Amino acid sequence: MNGNAFEVLVHSIAKELWDEHGGVVNIDGREVDGVYETEDSIHIVEATIQRGKSKAFHDISKLAKIVQKYRKQLDGEKLVKGWFVTKNSLTPEQREIAAKKEYKTKVTAVSFADFQQKLVDVRSYLLSRDNYSFGSVRDPGTGKHDVDVEYIPIYPVFKKSRDRQAVDINEMSRMLREGHLMTLTGDYGVGKSMTLREVYKCLKNEYFKGKSAKFPVYMNMRDHYGQTNPSEAFFRHASNIGFEAPSHLIRAWRAGYVILLLDGFDEIATSGFSGFKKKLVEARFKAMELIRRFISESHSDAGIIVSGRVHFFNTHDELEKALGISGATCSELSLNDFDDDQLRLFMESIEQDVEIPNWLPRRPLLLGYLAAKGFIRNIASESLQSLDDAAGGWDYLLDKISEREAEQEPGLDGGAIRAIMERIATLARKRSSGLGPVSLKDLCDVYEDVCGIEPDEKGLNVLQKLPGLGVDNEDEKTRAFIDEDLADACRSGDIIRFIENYTEFESAERKIDITSGFEVPTGEICTSLIRKYAIERGFRVSGSVYIAAQKGFGQFALDLFKVCLSLAEKIEKDVYINSAFGGDLTFLSNSSINFSGVNFYSCYFNMVNAGGIDNANLPNFKECYLLTLAGLETGKHIPENFSEDCVVEAIEGSLSVTTNSSALESDLPLAERVRLSMLRKVYQQAGSGRLENALYAGLDHASKQLVPDLLKELESNGLVRPLRRRGKPIIWQPVPEKKSKVLEALENPGKIDLNETD
């Protein structure tokens, strides 16, 4: 750092402390680095990077003379003080000169670090911040927030780089120190908070070593729900961590010395169902006002990184608009599951030399939890390894972890513990994340509902360490699921029990309160588990769809309808499904089943792919919101099944690659478009797969002819793997270690060579 740059740093602090209009002046023909005047004081500043004795003598003596002149002119009307500021710690010679009798009452000599402390006590802030939780970072064994949890490097990649360029913690820290704006997105439990915590540590160390005048402020966005003013957010943040001078943090931020780490943009908004349609997007935009203001009002030299779940916003365009960023000025990073090398490092760190089955996600939070609870060995057992599909694997795993907990806590059997987990997963669907939090009262109510009695001391102990749940807030004793796929597997339990006993509801005037108001739709694992049980137990699902809809269980009805789709099961009676979230709704290719008796009212869908079914067999949609309607042939109008009061944000042809229509370029060769369409279906959700006939859905005749050869090509290149089961259709599954590259190819059609060897 040269002298001019150092003077700018000192000047920025002095302006914030005393006078924003102050600066360099000439006094009696001598230039002074800065003069700053307030209502009751005048501060005269000299800044230097030199450590020599002669320079110190020159500057200090000059300051003393100017201070004396001002004092004489003002005759006590204002306090006049001189400041000699050095880049590094004061040398003995500099201290000696400043301590001379003729100078010490006029000039204060300080290092830059000490001068900055007048603006904000950085050391005190960082010490306080170290003792407060960092986002969702938890000890996998206890579930409690722990800043000492070991970090296994998971390198984010630049989303827009063709070669999926990775970046490490040091590089991210450097970019932030240089003033870059960054976003970090990824699935829940993939390590976003852990990564930001490591960036925080790196920036803190650079500050303490004197290599940077900027320091990190790490805010958990969940602490700032409903806030829109950055100053108010600083006050709440300071109060939460026990820092006594929030106004000083604000001064440092405005002066450009704060690097903001904003963790969890998805935790300051709710997806809120009531009155959704366009209001849903508007609500998310409104909830992001605090982040937009942080970005727009921050000093141009101060870096900011914002993290959150990758699928919280409907589209990338919505993310940019809501956060107030643009791809041209913001570095967008993506964090994915462990790759092979990272998984190996992780398994070495927990001293486990076992192979993880293909259906289990490679997410650090989930694997860390399973390892801490001693389940890694169970997962790698021969019996579980042989279950190569997600439904069978999760079913087996839920049984085993429930049985293990029952062995450790006598009084409840494994079935009861699993039923409690499943009912809590249903309850957690009312929360915007789908994972929780759930209160201690919620847990007790579920226990009483499942077991028929209130929990005693042993029961309370079971609830406090229920498998699959981690501590959400220790003070409030709230809990939340530690993984999305685990929660989704548990959601199947109540739905299966409803299917088996739905006739009890046909005449009874009863309504399970817990089944109303869901915000989070079931995922592929839940649907697969329900389908698995339906086939094994030989029951039909269609009757339960009718009763669920009739009783006002709109979300249950839609969940069950999706199972009927996957089973190709006809629904005999007219069904009216109201106010439910549907996620994606895809009709199987060449389906001859007539669903025209199914009617959706005021429902929300990310995508409805109608390419595999005749319009005459489609359900009817009224006052619904569709982010994307896919599968229409070129030039075709929206079918009459969709009433005029439906909102359809985007219409895509039969070869949709992503829900963002701009992602598919029209000039791509047909084979490339079909290949990307197939990969999108297979990699749509971690741990899932697609029936082979679903890969044909939405394709025209020419495109369908390409699917068999493309499947062979994708399999030979290690991008998909088949699950073959005797007498059952083939399921094509994703390859976890290829996920990052495939997702990058889907975001950049035609620009990523999937045939290249990693």
Side-chain angles (χ1 to χ4, degrees), residues 114 159 162 176 191 315 354 376 401 477 488 556 619 703 719 749:
D114 290 334
K159 294 180 70 172
R162 293 192 177 188
L176 289 169
T315 66
V354 295
I376 287 289
I401 63 178
K477 300 187 182 302
D488 194 46
F556 260 18
S703 301
L719 296 171

Side-chain angles (χ1 to χ4, degrees), residues 209-227:
K209 291 177 181 178
K211 295 183 178 180
S212 174
K214 301 175 183 178
F215 65 96
V217 168
Y218 187 125
M219 288 190 183
N220 302 330
M221 287 292 94
R222 65 175 300 171
D223 293 342
H224 302 279
Y225 179 84
Q227 288 192 305

